Amino acid sequence: MNQESQDRLTTRTLGPALRRKAGLVLRRAAARLHDPHTDQLAELRAELERTREELRSEVVRQGDRLLDRVVEFEIRSRRDIVYAGDQDAALESNVFARESLIGAQHFGSPKETLEYALSLAPTGGMALEFGVASGNTLRTITAARKATEVYGFDSFDGLPEAWLNGMPAGAFARDDLPDVPGAELVVGLFSDSLPGFLEKHPGPVDFLHVDGDLYSSAKTVLDNVGPRLRVGSIVHFDEFFNFPGWKRHEYRAWTEHVEKTGVEFTYEAYTYNDNQVTVRITGGPGLMD
């Protein structure tokens, strides 16, 4: 590669800050060359040479960073068990999507999927979220439901048992309760707080957000809230598929619930690069009128 080609490559690959600096130096050079009284050509040549060296150094740094990323990816693809687990989960989830999610809307972010799910829910009943954490999704729910009978359940002590690799019991614990205007927080383990809550709130559940991660948590929610669902109710799962071990948790709880109760449903939406799946209740025994 000749010097001219190297300079063109350098100009294309340098960062925005150095590109601006190079442009400034060149504009100053042009102005001085057209000034018949200038006596600073030697200084200008030195400045141009320094700038060119800076540009070359930046290209080298960027090349080193790119090489590091390539090596990192190569190692991950061969030996990283977390990466391998994600790949296996994506392949399994793709099979599920081809078999069960044909016709469902898909979205590129969890919030988009949640907002679409909320748009499908009927009105007049309650919206319940199980797994509040920082309160971000509960705020989205209160906004969509206009803060009418919105309740968020969480112990805020973290997961009651281990979930995934690197997520032991206690993960996601918080020292403070999130501020979610328009929603009432119900603090405690689902199995402790939910039966008493339902005794005091006899109405139907229009929107159910299952975000407890674990099979045991999802099963507790579906066992207790299932009879409060009605035709048209939306059940939105936050960790349904597309992560290592997904068939052992919310997915398992839902398939067992369907088999046990005979509830009829359709899959309405999912996040194609995350874990969320939205279900609409269409019929079956044991539902509210």
Side-chain angles (χ1 to χ4, degrees):
M1 181 182 291
N2 60 32
Q3 183 64 50
E4 183 180 356
S5 298
Q6 289 178 345
D7 289 343
R8 284 202 300 269
L9 177 61
T10 298
T11 303
R12 286 198 301 270
T13 57
L14 54 90
L18 281 176
R19 190 180 300 121
R20 288 193 295 270
K21 181 174 181 178
L24 176 61
V25 171
L26 291 173
R27 286 194 295 273
R28 288 169 60 191
R32 289 174 181 176
L33 289 173
H34 285 86
D35 182 354
H37 303 292
T38 186
D39 58 356
Q40 299 175 322
L41 289 180
E43 178 186 339
L44 180 58
R45 290 193 187 98
E47 187 173 357
L48 286 171
E49 184 60 30
R50 287 195 301 271
T51 301
R52 186 162 65 176
E53 289 303 317
E54 288 184 33
L55 301 182
R56 287 174 177 167
S57 297
E58 176 65 14
V59 171
V60 170
R61 285 193 293 270
Q62 291 187 8
D64 288 343
R65 285 196 295 269
L66 178 60
L67 179 60
D68 288 343
R69 295 302 299 274
V70 170
V71 171
E72 176 188 351
F73 178 78
E74 189 273 336
I75 292 173
R76 288 186 66 198
S77 65
R78 289 191 296 111
R79 296 187 299 184
D80 190 323
I81 60 174
V82 174
Y83 177 78
D86 287 342
Q87 292 298 298
D88 289 344
L91 292 172
E92 289 181 337
S93 301
N94 177 55
V95 172
F96 173 78
R98 289 203 314 264
E99 294 176 350
S100 302
L101 300 180
I102 300 299
Q105 295 285 335
H106 69 206
F107 298 91
S109 73
K111 185 175 183 182
E112 288 178 298
T113 312
L114 175 60
E115 289 174 341
Y116 180 74
L118 285 161
S119 75
L120 301 177
T123 58
M126 295 182 287
L128 310 182
E129 176 177 77
F130 291 87
V132 175
S134 64
N136 286 335
T137 54
L138 190 57
R139 293 184 191 95
T140 300
I141 294 170
T142 58
R145 302 291 294 183
K146 296 182 172 53
T148 303
E149 289 213 82
V150 178
Y151 302 90
F153 294 73
D154 204 310
S155 71
F156 299 102
D157 292 329
L159 295 172
E161 60 191 73
W163 179 36
L164 305 177
N165 290 341
M167 295 186 181
F172 310 124
R174 293 177 58 91
D175 294 328
D176 59 331
L177 299 185
D179 181 23
V180 187
E184 180 178 331
L185 299 180
V186 183
V187 181
L189 293 172
F190 302 158
S191 56
D192 295 336
S193 62
L194 187 49
F197 172 87
L198 291 173
E199 286 182 8
K200 296 178 181 178
H201 300 79
V205 173
D206 292 336
F207 186 81
L208 175 60
H209 188 202
V210 182
D211 190 8
D213 305 333
L214 299 162
Y215 164 76
S216 57
S217 298
K219 183 179 186 303
T220 297
V221 170
L222 292 170
D223 286 348
N224 284 272
V225 181
R228 296 295 187 87
L229 300 174
R230 56 180 171 170
V231 172
S233 290
I234 295 297
V235 183
H236 183 72
F237 295 94
D238 196 65
E239 277 83 27
F240 191 85
F241 72 160
N242 201 21
F243 64 90
W246 61 274
K247 290 184 177 180
R248 299 196 299 268
H249 292 287
E250 291 178 3
Y251 168 84
R252 175 188 170 192
W254 175 246
T255 54
E256 289 180 355
H257 179 73
V258 170
E259 183 176 354
K260 180 177 70 175
T261 65
V263 66
E264 299 168 6
F265 68 95
T266 57
Y267 288 113
E268 295 291 336
Y270 63 99
T271 312
Y272 60 79
N273 58 1
D274 213 281
N275 316 125
Q276 297 73 34
V277 170
T278 302
V279 168
R280 187 205 300 264
I281 304 301
T282 59
L287 299 174
M288 290 199 78
D289 295 331

